[in-house]
Amino acid sequence: MHSEIAPPPPPVTTDVAATRWLAVGSLLGLIVLSLAWELWLSPLRPGGSWLALKALPLAVPLAGLLKRRMYTYRWVSLLVWLYFTEGVVRAWSDPAPGNWLAGAEIALCLLLFTACALHVRLRLRAARARPSTPSTPAADPT
């Protein structure tokens, strides 16, 4: 009687680990920037604004990035373009220091997108390079 044992997960290469930490770091940077920008540094209204809630959708994918869920890396690379667009609009229209903060948001968005895209690409390449294991055990001739 044969029992199937799932193969161990592939070892994490340094490139994949680096893109993971770059994605997590830039996501955390966007969260901190969003909160600080809208609550203290340059809020739309004195005393802070409800626009700080824009940090909440960024907190959702954090666990998925930390757990290396490929699906999360893929959809975060799409979500980040909303924040990039906000950064471009506010860099163009906000007075200082808001326009500088928008520039930082743009940089963090580009970093997050690049990290997610590279992470997915490197993991897919590593998966293709691994020899495939048979899904059904070979018949025992005895």
Side-chain angles (χ1 to χ4, degrees), residues 56-135:
L56 285 178
L58 293 171
V60 172
L62 192 56
L65 293 183
L66 289 170
K67 292 178 182 178
R68 296 178 54 216
R69 292 188 176 142
M70 183 76 90
Y71 181 76
T72 305
Y73 282 88
R74 287 179 172 162
W75 69 261
V76 166
S77 69
L78 299 175
L79 171 73
V80 72
W81 290 111
L82 295 172
Y83 292 86
F84 175 83
T85 304
E86 182 212 16
V88 169
V89 169
R90 292 187 72 180
W92 194 266
S93 63
D94 281 10
N99 59 348
W100 295 103
L101 296 168
E105 181 178 36
I106 291 168
L108 285 169
C109 287
L110 291 173
L111 195 60
L112 179 57
F113 173 78
T114 303
C116 287
L118 281 174
H119 187 86
V120 169
R121 175 175 280 176
L122 291 171
R123 282 185 54 192
L124 289 175
R125 185 180 298 156
R128 275 188 245 120
R130 264 186 289 140
S132 61
T133 58
S135 60

